[in-house]
Amino acid sequence: AVDESELLTVPDGWKEPAFTREDNPKGLLEESSFATLFPKYREAYLKECWPLVQKALGEHYVNAALDLIEGSMTVTTTKKTFDPYAIIRARDLIKLLARSVPFEQAVRILQDDVACDIIKIGSLVRKRETFIKRRARLLGPKGSTLKALELLTNCYIMVQGNTVSALGPFSGLKEVRKVVLDTMKNIHPIYNIKTLMIKRELAKDPELRTQSWERFLPKFKRKNLKKRKEPKKKNTKKEYTPFPPPQPESQIDKELASGEYFLKERQKKRKQMEEIKVKQADAIKRRQEERNKAFIPPKEKPVVKTKKASTEKKIDIEAIKEKVKNAKKKKLGALPEEEVKLKMAADEKKKKKK
């Protein structure tokens, strides 16, 4: 009895055997070919490295042609070609070369365990300025974000124009596509890089192989941005009515309503002059008020009356009595005669002793 989990897992270090001529000794029945165009700025580089491209494809018996006039590259199978998938790999090789991938990296596509993915990002964002910012975010400062992604996925990534070319194992290409598309959807690549780092550490533990990793992976919530400031003037839509709006009154209609239409020209002019005089009088009055403001004195602050300090103070009789008693105890003025004689006698005794 064999455990089913062992059958589903690939043993460590297992590698698929290479496709040889013994697997397909009779070769291919028909000729297949693929062609792709390349931009003008790639012409000089392709002209230099084309002998190396022909040599690499010659090992798989695939012909390669470079047309500089038309600006295209073509790959075709030959009678000696035995691997039917070799033409697909050759097609991917010329596609990568057209997308500015250097030959040293692009030639790895001819290996069995290497695949490629060209992700179109030009149509994912509407505005050109936003697209450029998000593409720069994928690269990171001095290409640090792209380098971290390459190390985690074991893929070579090339961002050029409106496409992202990735070259590496299938598992890595899947992660690269997810990160690139999320970045274009305004999700920062650092979140996906953090998740990839945790997955890389979890993959080292054989016990966690059959368990779910959801509890270990971080869950990033989108923060609600601040609400946009509402405009001062709001344009409110009027309710729809099938009837047209009423026709605006003309100048004649207004004159008919007020009775001016029936006045004579002299009367009309007099009325206009009266209106002008009223307006002029109002303007003169307003101007005069503004001039008179300079002559209006400012309001004076009210004078605060200071309270007079009370000269009368309460006399403390007991305190005066105590002072008098203390003064009596003290010896004021010259000493009495007896005390002077005693002091002189004491001074003489001190001198004799000396």
Side-chain angles (χ1 to χ4, degrees):
V2 181
D3 191 8
E4 289 184 4
S5 61
E6 291 180 6
L7 293 171
L8 294 170
T9 55
V10 179
D12 294 332
W14 182 83
K15 206 172 185 180
E16 194 175 345
F19 193 87
T20 57
R21 185 171 283 280
E22 293 173 3
D23 297 318
N24 187 17
K26 294 181 180 180
L28 304 176
L29 293 172
E30 292 189 14
E31 184 184 287
S32 300
S33 65
F34 289 101
T36 186
L37 299 171
F38 60 86
K40 188 74 177 174
Y41 62 84
R42 291 290 291 168
E43 188 178 318
Y45 179 78
L46 290 171
K47 202 173 180 181
E48 285 179 14
C49 71
W50 197 248
L52 297 171
V53 175
Q54 286 179 323
K55 187 181 178 182
L57 291 173
E59 292 174 4
H60 296 269
Y61 304 103
V62 177
N63 285 338
L66 178 67
D67 190 350
L68 296 173
I69 298 163
E70 194 179 321
S72 66
M73 293 178 282
T74 313
V75 287
T76 53
T77 55
T78 59
K79 290 180 180 179
K80 291 183 179 180
T81 309
F82 61 89
D83 188 359
Y85 201 70
I87 188 66
I88 303 296
R89 295 193 183 281
R91 178 201 66 183
D92 291 341
L93 173 64
I94 58 173
K95 272 188 180 181
L96 291 169
L97 288 170
R99 293 314 311 151
S100 299
V101 177
F103 170 75
E104 291 78 12
Q105 292 290 340
V107 77
R108 287 171 54 211
I109 194 67
L110 299 174
Q111 299 172 15
D112 287 338
D113 56 344
V114 178
C116 76
D117 189 10
I118 296 169
I119 308 155
K120 292 179 181 179
I121 58 173
S123 59
L124 296 175
V125 185
R126 287 183 182 180
K127 290 183 180 179
R128 184 69 182 170
E129 294 82 7
T130 312
F131 168 72
I132 291 162
K133 281 180 184 177
R134 290 181 188 176
R135 187 178 63 182
R137 193 183 293 168
L138 182 65
L139 292 167
K142 296 180 182 178
S144 57
T145 307
L146 199 68
K147 190 68 182 173
L149 198 61
E150 284 181 350
L151 291 169
L152 289 166
T153 57
N154 297 323
C155 294
Y156 173 81
I157 305 164
M158 181 73 187
V159 181
Q160 177 69 21
N162 295 333
T163 57
V164 177
S165 306
L167 189 77
F170 289 101
S171 58
L173 292 174
K174 189 180 175 183
E175 297 293 344
V176 170
R177 178 171 273 273
K178 184 181 180 297
V179 174
V180 170
L181 294 177
D182 283 352
T183 306
M184 289 294 124
K185 290 175 185 174
N186 202 20
I187 298 168
H188 204 281
I190 196 70
Y191 299 130
N192 287 312
I193 286 168
K194 198 171 184 181
T195 307
L196 287 170
M197 287 171 74
I198 293 164
K199 282 182 179 178
R200 193 178 186 179
E201 292 300 317
L202 292 170
K204 293 176 184 178
D205 193 351
E207 292 179 4
L208 296 170
R209 187 173 286 178
T210 55
Q211 295 179 17
S212 177
W213 291 352
E214 286 294 324
R215 57 201 170 107
F216 301 110
L217 299 177
K219 293 175 183 178
F220 301 104
K221 290 181 181 179
R222 283 191 175 184
K223 291 180 180 179
N224 292 327
L225 297 171
K226 289 181 180 179
K227 289 181 180 179
R228 192 179 67 177
K229 289 181 179 179
E230 294 182 357
K232 289 180 180 179
K233 292 180 182 178
K234 290 184 180 179
N235 297 326
T236 54
K237 287 186 178 180
K238 294 177 182 178
E239 291 183 6
Y240 172 74
T241 54
F243 306 105
Q247 193 173 358
E249 289 184 349
S250 64
Q251 190 66 27
I252 296 165
D253 293 335
K254 288 175 184 177
E255 286 178 0
L256 284 166
S258 62
E260 288 179 24
Y261 184 78
F262 304 103
L263 296 172
K264 292 177 181 178
E265 285 185 15
R266 197 183 296 168
Q267 289 173 333
K268 283 181 183 179
K269 283 181 181 179
R270 194 187 299 159
K271 194 177 181 182
Q272 285 176 357
M273 288 299 291
E274 284 174 4
E275 286 175 359
I276 290 164
K277 282 178 181 179
V278 168
K279 286 180 181 177
Q280 285 176 351
D282 290 339
I284 290 162
K285 191 179 178 182
R286 239 181 283 118
R287 215 177 295 125
Q288 195 66 35
E289 284 175 359
E290 286 178 5
R291 285 176 186 169
N292 292 337
K293 280 180 184 177
F295 301 103
I296 296 167
K299 290 181 180 179
E300 293 182 0
K301 291 179 181 179
V303 180
V304 181
K305 292 180 180 180
T306 53
K307 292 179 181 180
K308 291 180 180 180
S310 57
T311 51
E312 295 177 0
K313 291 183 179 178
K314 291 180 180 179
I315 299 163
D316 195 356
I317 297 163
E318 290 181 1
I320 293 164
K321 283 180 180 179
E322 284 180 6
K323 283 181 181 179
V324 171
K325 283 179 184 178
N326 293 331
K328 284 179 180 179
K329 287 177 184 178
K330 288 179 180 179
K331 293 175 181 179
L332 300 169
L335 296 168
E337 289 181 7
E338 292 178 358
E339 286 184 9
V340 172
K341 286 177 182 180
L342 289 167
K343 199 173 184 182
M344 286 179 74
D347 291 337
E348 284 177 2
K349 282 179 182 179
K350 283 179 183 179
K351 284 179 183 179
K352 283 178 182 179
K353 281 179 181 179
K354 287 178 181 180

